[in-house]
Amino acid sequence: MEENTKCAPSLSKEMEVVDVKPLRTLTPMFPSSLGLDSFSPPASWPFVFITPHGSFTPGNEVKFPSNFCSLYPTTFCPKGVSETSTKSSLVEKSSGTVHDGVCKNANGHLHDTAVAHCPPQTMPLITVLSDNEEDMLVHSVPPTTDMKIERPAPMRSCNDVPPTIDMNIEQPVPLRSCTGVLSTSDLKIEEPVPLRSCPMGGGEIEGSDVKKPKRKRLKKAHDPELMMLPSSSYDARESVEAILMTFDALRRRILQLEEVKDVTRRSFTKAGSVMMDHDLRANKVKRIGHVPGIEVGDLFFFRIEMLLVGLQAQSVSGIDYMTVRFGDEEDPVAVAVVSAGGYENDDEDVDVLIYSGQGGSGKNDKKQTDDQKLERGNLALEKSLHRGIDIRVIRTAKDTGNPGNKIYVYDGLYKIDKSWVEKAKSGFNVFKYRLVRVPGQPDGIATWKKIEKWRKDPLSRGKVILPDMSSGDENLPVCLFNDVDDEKGPNHFVYTTKLHYSSPIAKPLPGCMCHSACLPSDANCSCLQQNGGDLPYTSNGLLVSHKPLVYECGPSCQCTLSCRNRLTQKGVTLRFEVFRTKDRGWGLRSWDPIRAGAFICEYTGEVTDNFREDEDGENEYIFQPRSTDDNASSWNYIPELLGEPSHPEPSDAIKPLQIIISAKNMGNVSRFMNHSCSPNVFWQAVQHDHGDEGYPHIMFFAIRHIPPMTELTYDYGPCGYENSKEEVPSSDGSGRTKKCLCGSPKCRGVFC
DNA sequence: GATGTTTCACAGTA
DNA sequence: CTACTGTGAAACAT
């Protein structure tokens, strides 16, 4: 958390956005044709917007509503902004321009390509960037006119080109030409993230048959009752997270459904299609440099995830590129590459990447059957070298918890400084590019490499107070670490992985009769039935959706410990670290990456009936479910996207849990989890060893993919004085409320 | 059981 | 519309 918040400012420093204005006029609607009239979205519904003007289709001019962007009423490139910029101006698209609210390219033709795409949801805002002239001098490489490239190489390296002032600096690009960018550090374009189009945007969803309604146009719909405008919380980061959350929730649900039918599992493909079909994407316009809402270190488990948020717009190919105009010339340049990691020749230098070109391989097998040619992605990389373009790099890492899986890690911007041609083993020529990481960025893949080292040699991690504060109680050691101050550790407590009830609960949980393991297709399994007919977890151990209560298999079940429906009772599977935060005491983080929906840990301690604090002050280590976790309810998949009827849970049907857990005297890692108003973890009530539904286990799950070493936080809940009989803030200021330091833009200011 | 290799249907873009 | 681009997961092999 803290690291995240740190990282944003430091990143944007180099490419400061001078003036980003929130879009205020997006109108969220839910189509009544879907029969959603009774549908009432949760307060934190992730997608409540639909664009007021539908999708952009060639031949169908899209008018921006007159109120769409009163800041920039008619022109794409707002006069005031661009003309006061003596340095340069740039426009989002390489050859598209917007005038009078209509998307056109330079020829006045409507365009729908990546190069000149005017997405309907986005009114690109222009921002003038950095005034740092030195920056420009360093980064700008003049357009070279002698672009003929000879092979076989060696080709020229960046160093051959003397850094000179780019022409565009002295001669601002004509505003309307929609010229491309030279370097993100020079300038930058901002675009309101398109996101948050209404998921049910089309009133034309065809039931559960999501088969290829090819990118259909989304129609406007009206339902004023359901309009909501959290315009103040508009935020690119939030949008990206919402897209990814929606995708993965869909994916888990599809997986769950397919497992029942035991059909081929391509859940990510299907979920991706649904997202695309409903235009649930962020950052649809290609851009050079960082992408709003995506931070260095962010994780992705599928290529399609990166596509949906605009990090790398190729579903398969490794090199994403676009055509950019440089003054009078036009060149393809690379914007992002995915390094599948096949060429891990230098582990040492995490800042350098040798990347191979594409092409030359045969049709049906991977073997090289031809020389690679200087075209497509290869050409784009070559041009990027000469233009000094920043390229986003996504590197892969092994999934520690799931070997065989690989994880994509956004590692920030790189520049190519060298290219050459090499003879591959096959005897054919292959292009090679040397990419060097732009300095000054937060750690991305470097964090992974560090952790790898710590695993091999725990002593190499300095400042460790205790290698395992659980003393072997947890499945994995829990490191205690402080590199902030002199604190030698938290106050004394007894480490326990169990929940201790004050009096034993006699009410048993009924058990199932399944042999060895409960199967998703076994409708007779009583545990399945208790969970509403589905196993709550996917085969790889992810919670599919948040429920008021999850029933795991228990002692009276016939199935064995290997049953999938015993996920949380088996304890933690992550390598935790309790660490000293800068300003919020101790915190919790993990060495392992955590996937959205993954089990994190249980809130253990003593179940208590009384909420009283100790005489000596307060008990900070209390877990009390104050209401249903808002973050959890908005986490679930959107049934309408799969053609399922919405199943709103009547909020009055959910009984508040009576349980209060104190971890003051005994507890586990979860007692160190801090509060955040934008948490990455939520809690879920789980039953497994008894049947008293008022006193379940409190289990934490990941809201989204969490990179290693990111602080884990959950929402302690609203203070809710209005609902609490015994808790009223005392007038002398000694109340329980604490000032919140989570740093989230959505921060409520206090927590309890 | 763990790891490596092959196979195959496939999605989005140029 | 087609060619291009490897992917991701299962099946198979070691």
Side-chain angles (χ1 to χ4, degrees), chain A residues 499 601-611 619-629 657-664 666 670-671 673 681-685 694 696-700 714-717 736 752:
Chain A
L499 193 55
C601 59
E602 172 172 6
Y603 199 99
T604 68
E606 298 169 285
V607 175
T608 136
D609 288 329
N610 98 35
F611 191 63
N619 184 351
E620 293 181 27
Y621 302 103
I622 282 280
F623 180 91
Q624 186 194 19
R626 290 190 170 83
S627 65
T628 44
D629 196 329
L657 303 170
Q658 294 121 281
I659 194 166
I660 298 171
I661 304 168
S662 168
K664 186 181 173 82
M666 43 173 51
S670 42
R671 74 200 287 280
M673 224 189 303
V681 172
F682 66 87
W683 58 268
Q684 161 75 58
H697 295 267
I698 302 300
M699 302 295 186
F700 291 103
Y714 71 101
D715 193 335
Y716 287 8
R736 302 177 59 83
C752 306

Side-chain angles (χ1 to χ4, degrees), chain A residues 355-477:
Chain A
Y355 195 81
S356 301
Q358 62 185 191
S361 43
K363 284 250 183 296
N364 294 320
D365 54 3
K366 289 181 157 180
K367 287 195 192 73
Q368 194 91 24
T369 57
D370 205 352
D371 285 346
Q372 290 188 347
K373 297 186 181 62
L374 192 57
E375 56 186 23
R376 301 169 188 278
N378 300 345
L379 181 60
L381 287 169
E382 193 60 37
K383 297 286 189 185
S384 298
L385 159 60
H386 291 284
R387 300 282 186 187
I389 298 288
D390 285 336
I391 300 173
R392 297 188 292 274
V393 169
I394 297 99
R395 308 185 72 156
T396 52
K398 271 211 192 81
D399 186 350
T400 38
N402 214 0
N405 251 27
K406 70 181 159 207
I407 301 179
Y408 300 97
V409 182
Y410 176 44
D411 200 36
L413 303 179
Y414 283 61
K415 276 186 200 300
I416 306 180
D417 75 344
K418 223 196 272 180
S419 73
W420 65 94
V421 172
E422 227 174 75
K423 277 252 186 300
K425 281 194 203 113
S426 57
F428 294 103
N429 286 343
V430 173
F431 285 91
K432 294 281 181 178
Y433 301 89
R434 197 176 102 110
L435 288 88
V436 181
R437 197 161 189 261
V438 174
Q441 305 180 80
D443 278 356
I445 204 82
T447 305
W448 295 65
K449 301 274 178 190
K450 275 188 224 162
I451 293 167
E452 227 170 83
K453 214 176 286 170
W454 302 340
R455 271 187 224 281
K456 283 188 200 125
D457 177 15
L459 294 178
S460 68
R461 178 126 167 82
K463 316 266 191 182
V464 172
I465 300 168
L466 267 178
D468 180 12
M469 61 189 295
S470 88
S471 315
D473 271 8
E474 297 284 13
N475 301 331
L476 294 163

Side-chain angles (χ1 to χ4, degrees), chain A residues 699-712:
Chain A
M699 302 295 186
F700 291 103
F701 289 86
I703 290 177
R704 50 179 176 264
H705 307 325
I706 306 173
M709 303 306 279
T710 303
E711 182 173 3
L712 306 175

Side-chain angles (χ1 to χ4, degrees), chain A residues 252-323:
Chain A
R252 293 188 308 267
R253 173 59 175 167
I254 291 169
L255 186 59
Q256 185 182 49
L257 292 171
E258 290 190 340
E259 281 183 339
V260 173
K261 294 184 284 182
D262 203 25
V263 295
T264 50
R265 283 154 207 169
R266 309 275 309 167
S267 54
F268 66 94
T269 308
K270 281 195 191 167
S273 299
V274 173
M275 297 291 286
M276 298 292 281
D277 289 344
H278 294 88
D279 211 27
L280 288 167
R281 305 174 60 175
N283 303 305
K284 286 209 298 188
V285 176
K286 286 198 190 192
R287 64 179 64 224
I288 294 170
H290 282 296
V291 177
I294 303 180
E295 292 168 10
V296 174
D298 280 356
L299 307 184
F300 302 89
F301 285 76
F302 300 94
R303 293 290 302 267
I304 191 95
E305 289 182 309
M306 296 189 273
L307 192 154
L308 289 172
V309 297
L311 182 61
Q312 213 267 8
Q314 297 286 325
S315 63
V316 178
S317 176
I319 307 166
D320 189 16
Y321 60 98
M322 69 190 283
T323 305

